Amino acid sequence: MQNTLTREKKSLIVTVHTLTGSCRGQSLSVLGSRFLIGSDPRCNLRLTHPEASPLHCSLIMDGYTVRVRDLGSSVGTKVNGAPVHRDVILKNNDVISASHTLIKVNIETID
């Protein structure tokens, strides 16, 4: 008998809360599989600081995890103060630094 492990997709409710910057105090629900952060009008969370790249970073949801990916921003992206060099899996209450904006990520899992 073959033993196989299967991962069940979970329902994730993800909300971002801006702690600093010009959009301080905003709370946005993350819907879909990708959430863009940057100064470009196409972004879900628009940053207005001059150092914010048009496509600064993105949140990626795959049903199992929420990850942050730097999109080649000029000043980089950090999670809890650590630079993002490749995808970083986020945990509830992690804080992303994108340019001069701190963004708290709330992740709730519903089985």
Side-chain angles (χ1 to χ4, degrees):
M1 177 182 253
Q2 185 178 9
N3 185 10
T4 59
L5 296 175
T6 58
R7 289 177 22 175
E8 290 185 34
K9 277 193 173 185
K10 298 178 180 179
S11 295
L12 299 176
I13 298 174
V14 182
T15 309
V16 295
H17 307 278
T18 54
L19 304 176
T20 63
S22 61
C23 45
R24 179 181 179 207
Q26 281 188 357
S27 291
L28 299 170
S29 294
V30 177
L31 305 172
S33 61
R34 187 168 176 150
F35 185 88
L36 294 172
I37 299 170
S39 61
D40 190 279
R42 296 173 291 168
C43 290
N44 304 95
L45 176 58
R46 294 266 323 266
L47 306 178
T48 59
H49 193 277
E51 288 184 5
S53 295
L55 297 175
H56 198 96
C57 62
S58 66
L59 300 181
I60 303 160
M61 284 69 59
D62 63 9
Y64 306 102
T65 61
V66 180
R67 295 173 284 134
V68 64
R69 175 181 296 164
D70 183 78
L71 299 175
S73 64
S74 58
V75 296
T77 302
K78 296 178 181 178
V79 174
N80 301 325
V84 172
H85 299 292
R86 56 182 62 97
D87 287 8
V88 173
I89 295 174
L90 298 173
K91 300 180 300 299
N92 187 41
N93 293 322
D94 277 348
V95 176
I96 297 169
S97 174
S99 180
H100 289 268
T101 303
L102 295 178
I103 305 158
K104 182 178 178 181
V105 181
N106 291 113
I107 303 168
E108 183 181 346
T109 304
I110 299 175
D111 294 319

